[in-house]
Amino acid sequence: MNVIHRRGWEIPEHRATPEHVFLNRRSFMAATGAAAISLSPTIALAQRAGEAPDPTIDLYPAKRNERYTLDRPLTDEKINLSYNNFYEFGFSKDVSRAAQALKVRPWTVKIDGMVEKPREVDIDQLIRAMPIEERLYRHRCVEAWGMTIPWSGFPFAKFVEYAKPLSSAKYVRMETFLDPATAPLQRQPFYPWPYVEGLTIAEATNEMAFLVTGAYGKPVAKVQGAPLRLAVPWKYGFKAVKSIVKFTFTDQRPKSYWETAQGSEYGFWANVNPKVDHPRWSQATEEVIGTSNRVPTLLFNGYAEQVADLYKGMESERLWA
Ligand code: MTE
């Protein structure tokens, strides 16, 4: 597989130094900052064009859960919607327009594997069965940039209750849609589509694991992974699988998309640790997208208090890749 030269979301080696990342930020802001701001209404129009209003619109803005707050300002929505990774639609950060091809209704979510009863549920039925709330979360991409986002959604633990896994299930595997007719990059056979991610059940039922249905006080946008995506803010952003169509409960550790594509650099756990470099760049600091700040990266992206216990006694595992 010729993946090493073709992966879209990694920092090319020549941009991995702080100086180059800084220069890259400036050129990003210059090239897309103003354009992004004026692009947003176009995106909104495209989302409206020919599509019925989101059937769950009445649930937003959801009540904020004040337990989840931040130490830095929220990323501007327009910036968030114009700097994305969604490789099914392209390898640049500017994929909002391409992602409008995604049809997010009707949408069904399959629950299978080691569960009491496998089933398929309509997304709106699922969303309405869940307690929707808003949480302010950090997001740290493995490329050494970060954002802060007001997600809406429901605790993954509530979904696990709903799915009723068998007690022998140890992992949950999540899968993005597979539709090469809609997503042009899925026509490239050398990538291991569909995008897959996995968590242990203990991780999925940790209080921080969140299934996202909305952002910025409205239903989550297509480019952000509508209609259902994951937020696990103590892990690198690639774990946050978008546009999920299937949850499989299993006793086998799932092999994720990037682990399959480049296992020497990416593993199952992918917990944020500023002291463990990526093989090709430092993880010590991160660029705060939309600002001129570079800030120190925190262990578990600042969520050690909530999640560190999950990894006790696992020091021999590859926890940081
Ligand atoms: N999920 C799918 N299906 N496809 C992707 O390309 N990219 C991942 C993750 N989930 C990705 C995905 C990466 S690398 C990151 S950093 C986040 O989504 C980006 O989410 P954002 O665009 O909302 O910032």
Side-chain angles (χ1 to χ4, degrees):
M1 270 194 308
N2 180 24
V3 288
I4 190 127
H5 301 300
R6 306 287 302 255
R7 286 161 298 164
W9 54 274
E10 296 176 344
I11 301 175
E13 201 160 324
H14 66 276
R15 280 170 37 195
T17 65
E19 182 191 12
H20 283 99
V21 170
F22 175 73
L23 290 172
N24 178 50
R25 180 195 63 76
R26 288 182 52 187
S27 53
F28 161 68
M29 291 307 292
T32 66
I37 287 159
S38 58
L39 193 75
S40 188
T42 319
I43 293 165
L45 269 179
Q47 280 195 316
R48 285 202 296 271
E51 288 181 22
D54 186 292
T56 60
I57 194 115
D58 57 297
L59 299 175
Y60 306 94
K63 189 169 181 319
R64 184 171 294 175
N65 185 335
E66 299 293 346
R67 186 171 161 79
Y68 304 99
T69 52
L70 293 170
D71 58 351
R72 34 185 116 145
L74 285 175
T75 301
D76 186 283
E77 182 186 9
K78 287 164 189 140
I79 301 282
N80 178 279
L81 289 170
S82 57
Y83 191 86
N84 300 92
N85 284 335
F86 203 167
Y87 297 111
E88 284 84 343
F89 292 101
F91 281 155
S92 86
K93 296 282 184 272
D94 182 14
V95 283
S96 276
R97 220 180 277 269
Q100 300 315 311
L102 182 62
K103 295 266 169 296
V104 295
R105 294 293 188 287
W107 190 279
T108 49
V109 174
K110 202 178 230 180
I111 303 169
D112 67 7
M114 301 171 78
V115 288
E116 281 179 21
K117 200 168 165 231
R119 59 178 154 155
E120 232 174 280
V121 55
D122 174 72
I123 187 69
D124 298 315
Q125 202 187 322
L126 174 64
I127 292 173
R128 290 198 183 274
M130 293 289 121
I132 304 296
E133 63 181 44
E134 184 180 73
R135 295 183 177 192
L136 310 186
Y137 271 10
R138 297 186 202 101
H139 173 85
R140 169 58 157 85
C141 180
V142 76
E143 294 166 337
W145 54 262
M147 294 201 200
T148 43
I149 306 153
W151 294 126
S152 306
F154 50 90
F156 205 135
K158 290 285 174 198
F159 176 75
V160 171
E161 265 173 42
Y162 177 92
K164 297 191 173 58
L166 304 179
S167 56
S168 44
K170 296 198 166 38
Y171 301 93
V172 55
R173 176 187 184 278
M174 291 149 278
E175 201 174 290
T176 295
F177 69 87
L178 181 63
D179 181 7
T182 298
L185 271 288
Q186 289 188 337
R187 287 173 225 150
Q188 306 237 7
F190 38 82
Y191 289 96
W193 306 113
Y195 201 98
V196 166
E197 261 308 337
L199 296 173
T200 63
I201 305 279
E203 289 178 317
T205 53
N206 174 275
E207 65 161 309
M208 294 311 300
F210 199 57
L211 283 164
V212 168
T213 60
Y216 295 92
K218 46 187 168 281
V220 67
K222 292 179 181 184
V223 75
Q224 293 163 325
L228 187 66
R229 76 170 267 173
L230 179 64
V232 276
W234 71 97
K235 293 181 178 283
Y236 290 116
F238 67 87
K239 294 290 293 186
V241 49
K242 294 181 168 182
S243 303
I244 303 169
V245 292
K246 187 156 79 156
F247 293 83
T248 304
F249 290 84
T250 168
D251 58 0
Q252 306 293 311
R253 186 185 287 186
K255 193 156 181 188
S256 70
Y257 177 85
W258 289 108
E259 203 180 351
T260 306
Q262 191 65 29
S264 61
E265 296 187 351
Y266 308 103
F268 174 77
W269 299 106
N271 295 317
V272 175
N273 188 335
K275 295 205 171 121
V276 180
D277 290 346
H278 182 278
R280 290 180 289 122
W281 59 83
S282 164
Q283 295 290 27
T285 63
E286 68 208 51
E287 176 191 0
V288 183
I289 298 295
T291 76
S292 50
N293 299 337
R294 238 194 132 75
V295 298
T297 287
L298 304 172
L299 182 64
F300 293 113
N301 200 20
Y303 298 106
E305 192 189 320
Q306 291 89 345
V307 302
D309 277 357
L310 290 168
Y311 309 101
K312 285 251 164 74
M314 293 177 56
E315 290 71 20
S316 61
E317 296 259 346
R318 235 176 127 211
L319 292 174
W320 318 108

